[in-house]
């Protein structure tokens, strides 16, 4: 078979309470074809799962990689808008905003979470080129959500005590119903 040919694959998503999601991801050092293939598989996984963002640890790879594809005003996602973000660093966070967040690793749960409204993001693309962007609104929120994954944190950890307790009870019920 032609060696350069590789099929893009949907990868299995790691789901809470899997301990893998607590791992701290490591910096990427090689911007090679293996990385490109992995990014293509992450995109396929996100799209097939109806997600707008995905961190590598959600597909069991502890590397500082995340992807985002924020829909336009009509709710349409375009690959032209895809951000492949490697080794991200956030600075100049300002303001606060509340969004209803969801996560492919915590299926069926959406919660209001407070985060910074605006930020500056420095990151590398798949070729190792550095970029600096200003982000606000949903893009800023999704960047913060995904970077938390790289640091082993989930959005449910930001819930106040009572809401977290309620979530745990309902989530357990949901997992049980999925098993039977
Ligand atoms: C606000 C909104 C989203 C983020 C981070 C990225 N999160 C997602 O992309 C979540 C996607 C998601 C998709 C689901 O699946 C379907 O709708 C079919 C879903 O529901 C189930 O799994 C049943 C939950 C989440 C940050 C901030
Ligand atoms: Co998530």
């Amino acid at each position: 078979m032609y060696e350069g040919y590789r099929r893009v694959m949907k990868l299995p998503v790691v789901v809470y309470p899997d301990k893998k999601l607590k791992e701290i991801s490591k910096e990427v050092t090689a911007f090679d074809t293996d990385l490109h293939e992995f990014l293509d598989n992450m995109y396929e996984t996100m799209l097939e799962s109806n997600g707008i963002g995905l961190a590598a640890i959600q597909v069991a790879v502890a590397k500082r990689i995340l992807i985002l594809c924020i829909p336009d005003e009509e709710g349409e996602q375009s690959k032209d808008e895809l951000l492949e973000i490697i080794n991200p660093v956030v600075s100049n966070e300002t303001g606060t905003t509340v969004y209803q967040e969801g996560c492919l690793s915590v299926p069926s749960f959406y919660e209001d979470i407070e985060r910074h409204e605006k930020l500056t993001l420095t990151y590398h693309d798949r070729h190792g080129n550095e970029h600096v962007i200003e982000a606000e609104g949903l893009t800023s929120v999704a960047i913060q959500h995904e970077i938390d994954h790289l640091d082993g944190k989930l959005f449910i950890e930001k819930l106040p005590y009572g809401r977290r307790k309620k979530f745990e009870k309902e989530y357990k019920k949901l997992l049980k119903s999925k098993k039977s």
Side-chain angles (χ1 to χ4, degrees):
M1 197 175 67
Y2 171 51
E3 278 200 9
Y5 178 79
R6 280 181 170 137
R7 239 175 85 102
V8 178
M9 282 190 306
K10 183 185 177 198
L11 307 168
V13 175
V14 178
V15 166
Y16 179 76
D18 194 315
K19 294 251 183 326
K20 187 86 190 163
L21 293 167
K22 287 185 166 292
E23 256 182 63
I24 310 283
S25 296
K26 294 205 163 64
E27 297 264 316
V28 171
T29 51
F31 294 83
D32 55 11
T33 52
D34 284 351
L35 173 69
H36 298 174
E37 190 187 332
F38 178 61
L39 284 164
D40 294 342
N41 289 339
M42 279 184 73
Y43 180 67
E44 180 76 4
T45 306
M46 182 180 73
L47 219 61
E48 288 283 312
S49 313
N50 291 318
I52 63 164
L54 187 72
I57 196 65
Q58 293 181 271
V59 290
V61 174
K63 291 192 178 162
R64 301 190 81 79
I65 302 170
L66 63 97
I67 60 169
L68 289 180
C69 194
I70 304 294
D72 62 20
E73 290 95 78
E74 278 88 48
E76 296 295 322
Q77 269 175 312
S78 156
K79 199 169 183 183
D80 296 344
E81 299 303 316
L82 174 66
L83 283 173
E84 295 177 333
I85 296 170
I86 299 160
N87 300 339
V89 178
V90 164
S91 58
N92 303 330
E93 300 99 320
T94 56
T96 55
T97 188
V98 176
Y99 262 87
Q100 192 172 64
E101 297 190 16
C103 180
L104 290 172
S105 294
V106 190
S108 305
F109 277 85
Y110 303 88
E111 295 281 356
D112 281 349
I113 303 290
E114 187 178 295
R115 298 200 187 258
H116 299 295
E117 161 65 12
K118 293 183 183 178
L119 53 82
T120 303
L121 177 72
T122 306
Y123 69 96
H124 290 84
D125 64 22
R126 63 164 62 202
H127 305 291
N129 299 316
E130 190 178 273
H131 299 263
V132 183
I133 59 167
E134 306 296 323
E136 59 183 318
L138 180 56
T139 307
S140 164
V141 165
I143 287 167
Q144 293 168 72
H145 175 114
E146 301 306 338
I147 291 180
D148 272 357
H149 275 298
L150 307 187
D151 294 325
K153 291 182 247 157
L154 293 175
F155 75 111
I156 50 168
E157 292 166 43
K158 295 177 86 71
L159 292 174
Y161 182 79
R163 264 166 70 203
R164 176 67 187 266
K165 274 270 190 223
K166 190 164 171 272
F167 159 77
E168 291 294 344
K169 206 172 149 193
E170 288 172 4
Y171 193 75
K172 247 185 215 156
K173 233 193 219 170
L174 181 89
L175 290 184
K176 230 176 164 182
S177 74
K178 275 189 177 171
K179 266 188 199 162
S180 59

